[in-house]
Amino acid sequence: MRPLPWAVGILNWLCNYQMVKTSTSGSPSTVVAEGANGPTTIAAEKILMERNIMVIPDLFANAGGVTVSYFEWLKNLNHVSYGRLTWKHEEDSNNHLLDSVQRSLEAKFSGGRAGSIPITATPAFSARIAGASEKDIVNSGLEYTMERSAKQIMRAVREYNLGLDLRTAAYVCALQKIYTVYLAAGITL
């Protein structure tokens, strides 16, 4: 069984070796995600961009692991697991939501007779009523962070007319964040 064309390129760059100028010619990929640190040389990246192959830079592609490590560090600093302070509140809020829907429907359609229109949670909602697990919270935070970062990178691509150069856009975003922190701290360059 032959691998899918896009999978060949993804797998090539997920390995810990460097993508060099001579190894770019046979790739059928249209998107390359760098899974290693610095796997694509400048010459190889230039060729990939000339061939309209988008390179998702290691700076972004590897950020998920760093982000989750940061969440773990925060949790360890506070000695409190994620969600421990909000689980009961979430459970009560979700139950109040179901009760509110039931009362509204009963008031509208059954003259206010309590229990005449029972509202029950779907299995998926029931699983969430008690609040998110630590894994759910970490995944949600990671998804939010990565989506926000991807949008910032794409905004920089458009603002500076960078085409497929996501690496430069990612560096622009990183430098803007550093500048903002320095400015807020009163550090001038």
Side-chain angles (χ1 to χ4, degrees):
M1 183 171 143
R2 293 187 66 214
L4 297 171
W6 57 266
V8 173
I10 298 291
L11 292 175
N12 283 343
W13 288 278
L14 286 176
C15 297
N16 274 323
Y17 72 86
Q18 196 166 42
M19 181 69 178
V20 295
K21 184 177 178 180
T22 57
S23 60
T24 60
S25 61
S27 175
S29 303
T30 56
V31 176
V32 172
E34 295 181 326
N37 292 322
T40 307
T41 65
I42 294 169
E45 186 167 10
K46 182 179 179 201
I47 291 169
L48 292 171
M49 282 196 272
E50 287 169 356
R51 292 180 54 211
N52 286 326
I53 296 174
M54 178 185 292
V55 178
I56 300 172
D58 55 350
L59 178 70
F60 177 74
N62 296 327
V66 175
T67 301
V68 171
S69 294
Y70 171 69
F71 292 162
E72 185 73 19
W73 177 71
L74 289 176
K75 183 182 98 167
N76 290 339
L77 280 179
N78 295 315
H79 303 290
V80 176
S81 63
Y82 298 117
R84 184 173 183 184
L85 301 175
T86 61
W87 279 338
K88 181 67 177 145
H89 176 75
E90 277 187 52
E91 183 178 26
D92 290 345
S93 295
N94 289 329
N95 284 323
H96 286 298
L97 175 65
L98 289 175
D99 186 53
S100 176
V101 169
Q102 181 172 340
R103 288 176 188 227
S104 295
L105 289 173
E106 288 170 348
K108 177 77 174 172
F109 298 111
S110 70
R113 289 191 328 269
S116 59
I117 303 177
I119 300 293
T120 57
T122 64
F125 191 62
S126 290
R128 295 187 73 135
I129 281 181
S133 69
E134 187 167 322
K135 181 180 175 183
D136 293 334
I137 292 169
V138 169
N139 285 338
S140 175
L142 176 60
E143 183 178 344
Y144 171 77
T145 301
M146 295 302 290
E147 282 180 4
R148 200 168 117 232
S149 295
K151 288 176 183 175
Q152 289 170 347
I153 291 169
M154 295 313 294
R155 191 170 26 256
V157 163
R158 286 188 301 277
E159 183 178 342
Y160 297 102
N161 195 26
L162 296 172
L164 291 176
D165 192 356
L166 300 183
R167 183 179 321 282
T168 298
Y171 283 130
V172 165
C173 292
L175 290 170
Q176 286 173 337
K177 288 176 186 179
I178 292 169
Y179 174 77
T180 301
V181 169
Y182 274 37
L183 193 62
I187 301 171
T188 58
L189 302 175

